[in-house]
Amino acid sequence: MINVKGLKKAFGENVVLCGIDEHIKKGEKVVIIGASGSGKSTFLRCLNLLEQPTAGNIFFEDVDITDPKNDINRLRRKMGMVFQQFNLFPHMTVKENLKLAPVKLKIMTEEEAEEKALALLARVGLPEKADAYPTQLSGGQQQRIAIARALAMNPDVMLFDEPTSALDPEMVGEVLAIMRELADEGMTMVVVTHEMGFAREVATRVLFMDEGVIAEQGTPEEIFDNPQSPRLKAFLGKVL
Amino acid sequence: MNILTFAKWIEEAPNWILALPEGLQRLCFQFFQVFVYENRWKFFTDGLGTTFIVTIGALIIGVIIGMLVAIIRSTHDSARRRPNIILRILNGICKIYVTVLRGTPLMVQLLIMGFVVMVPKGNFETVLCAIITLGINSGAYVAEIARSGIMSISAGQMEAGRSLGLNYSQTMAYIIMPQAFKNILPALGNELIALLKETSLVTVIALQDVTKAAQVIVSKSYTATIPYISLAIIYLVLVIILTKLLGILERRLRESDKR
């Protein structure tokens, strides 16, 4: 589904990704772990071109998204993204947040989007918040709405960029529960996270990133129970 | 032209005025001269109409130019890679525009537009000249205000919009600008108030606004106190009303901030 070839990214002199090749298949739940500064967020953000790669190609459903001839806006419709800081639109109600993109991009009529929005709000357990404004919600609730907003576009893959890092500890669980449900339904997911429990439980594959490359990868059992490289051992020693 | 003298006026004055002390009688005479005699109040109302038209016209032009310039400038500044040549040229033009318009006095700009560039003939053309000059001038200030508003919105909002498949202009229009507008409303209101008062300068291109009306009445009545004090009060009342209206609008837009 997503095929990454020779991906490099540098911010000026600062090289963040130094050549990544990776293939993410439909239905996979890929969890990316690594120390901060290892390039995991940058890698994720390159997948929907929020960061422009310095070199390399990324194919999404066999279309090269790094080719300027291909319409990235159209491709992004099929790639949902959830941010660390939620990034809900504060001037709109929750329902309007969900309906904006489907309606403005003429994918759904107003009525269809309304129906979809209410269904998604029920699914993330917040049907009563349809007419609330984002600032009236807790962090956990906001992040659940953000997930619902991404789902409103019926994406083929969901990208999560540290979705629980900005949350109070007691709200982490509710967000992870939604993500777990999503995984169970067969959604293709790429998740950058520090939640090792979630990685172990949900991931079909774990990538360990270090200094701009994928240093080690494997099933959760291989990564957590039988780490090979000293860097991964050191990292796990610190976080577990 | 027959001049109304105090002696002539007091002969025909009603009884309640005759009962007043002389100082108040003279004051009443001045009021009569300035507002009532020969229907002179009409100078004020006609002038006010012109002031309104010029203010509203200049406001519309100023906001349109200002928003455009702000969007071009902030698009240029937020580009991560080297922006393309067209954007760089547009950005250069915008920078020069803001520098020149903020760097020269409005009075001088009016004189240049009125006597060098447009040279309007007739009332309609003069009004148009005033609207365009003030609008272009105000646009430079609105541009900087709007730019600060756009830059006050976190980059995450743009990313969230783009990640949903909206393009740059759609994200600007539906997500960034509505929030930016709310943030800059107080500063924009300030600019509107300044604009309203600055319209008084259009007298230099011989436009009959409310300030000119007061000057005309001074020249007819040979008294300056009442016309100019009245003029000040007229502007003050207008500004107070405007401030109230802006306050109402601001409260409406703050709806989504309720917790």
Side-chain angles (χ1 to χ4, degrees), chain A residues 45 50-52 73 76 79 81 83 87-92 100-101 104-105 133 135-136 149 153, chain B residues 80-81 154 156-157 159-167 170 174-175 178-179 255-259:
Chain A
R45 290 160 57 82
L50 281 185
E51 299 293 351
Q52 192 73 35
N73 296 316
R76 279 185 183 135
M79 310 172 104
M81 181 141 190
F83 300 86
N87 294 340
L88 293 178
F89 308 134
H91 59 302
M92 298 177 184
L100 177 77
K104 295 296 180 194
L105 295 172
Y133 283 97
T135 46
Q136 299 165 324
R149 181 177 68 181
M153 292 294 290
Chain B
R80 296 214 186 117
R81 285 174 298 172
S154 84
Q157 292 289 309
E159 289 182 351
R162 299 303 302 275
S163 79
L164 289 166
L166 298 169
N167 64 29
Q170 287 167 329
Y174 302 129
I175 297 165
Q179 295 182 60
E255 187 87 354
S256 63
D257 293 353
K258 268 191 258 151
R259 274 160 204 273

Side-chain angles (χ1 to χ4, degrees), chain A residues 36-52:
Chain A
S36 48
S38 59
K40 53 191 192 314
S41 274
T42 306
F43 172 59
L44 188 79
R45 290 160 57 82
C46 280
L47 295 182
N48 68 351
L49 242 53
L50 281 185
E51 299 293 351
Q52 192 73 35

